[in-house]
Amino acid sequence: IRHPCETKFDNHLQDLEHSNYTLNIPLIPTTPEEMEDMFRLCSHVRFRIPQQILQGLVDVRQPHNTFYQEVFMEIVGEKSRYALQDHLHLITAPLQVIWGKQDQVVDVSGAAVIAEMLPGCRVDLLENCGHSVVMERPCRTAKLILEFIILQQNARGGMKKSS
């Protein structure tokens, strides 16, 4: 039975969950080459990152890889795969979703699912941007967040004046 919110990415997650691919998860790099592959997966914009920096990033992440793997497998597991969709209706706070249109990690169709389930949320889709919106479009992302905060403050009657 398919979940009503299932996307093509969910199908990929199911394939991953039922395979023996757990030792080489693209989001959990163990070498500078795998780190470069992760950046290619997460970024639409191509960054030229020196080998020493890639190695340093691997070295910093390496001690936490077991934890990252546990979290990843929990996320793709059958029990939590639709947790967000199933609990979206519980969100009562103002919500902003910023998503890269070229996201290869979590399909951009997820933004439409959220918008449909929470009609009052603000959805901003960034052109020429992948999964790492803050890294790829830092100024645009910051501007969108600030605009959202200001809109929320204005909706509540503005900021209280401090004495």
Side-chain angles (χ1 to χ4, degrees), residues 10-73:
D10 295 314
N11 295 331
H12 177 67
L13 293 181
Q14 286 175 343
D15 293 344
L16 185 61
E17 179 189 21
H18 298 297
S19 74
N20 294 324
Y21 192 52
T22 58
L23 296 178
N24 190 16
I25 298 168
L27 297 173
I28 307 173
T30 57
T31 67
E33 295 74 28
E34 288 177 4
M35 180 64 76
E36 201 166 34
D37 290 343
M38 184 188 81
F39 279 118
R40 268 195 293 280
L41 177 67
C42 293
S43 304
H44 178 70
V45 176
R46 297 296 175 234
F47 298 97
R48 172 71 183 104
I49 303 170
Q51 196 70 16
Q52 295 148 305
I53 302 294
L54 291 170
Q55 183 62 58
L57 291 168
V58 169
D59 292 346
V60 167
R61 290 175 57 100
Q62 194 84 40
H64 310 287
N65 278 357
T66 301
F67 171 73
Y68 297 148
Q69 187 171 5
E70 288 172 15
V71 169
F72 183 83
M73 296 313 289

Side-chain angles (χ1 to χ4, degrees), residues 3 8 15 17 19 24 26 34 83 91 107 114 125 144 153:
H3 190 278
K8 61 184 175 182
D15 293 344
E17 179 189 21
S19 74
N24 190 16
E34 288 177 4
I91 298 174
D107 192 82
I114 295 170
L125 300 178
L144 289 169
Q153 290 174 339

Side-chain angles (χ1 to χ4, degrees), residues 60-128:
V60 167
R61 290 175 57 100
Q62 194 84 40
H64 310 287
N65 278 357
T66 301
F67 171 73
Y68 297 148
Q69 187 171 5
E70 288 172 15
V71 169
F72 183 83
M73 296 313 289
E74 184 68 29
I75 288 169
V76 300
E78 190 69 42
K79 212 165 100 177
S80 63
R81 187 171 300 135
Y82 302 107
L84 178 62
Q85 292 96 323
D86 292 343
H87 295 90
L88 272 173
H89 68 279
L90 300 173
I91 298 174
T92 57
L95 178 67
Q96 178 182 35
V97 175
I98 303 174
W99 211 304
K101 283 189 174 181
Q102 286 73 32
D103 192 330
Q104 297 179 76
V105 177
V106 182
D107 192 82
V108 69
S109 64
V113 170
I114 295 170
E116 186 178 314
M117 293 180 78
L118 293 173
C121 80
R122 174 175 167 168
V123 176
D124 294 295
L125 300 178
L126 302 183
E127 293 285 348
N128 301 314

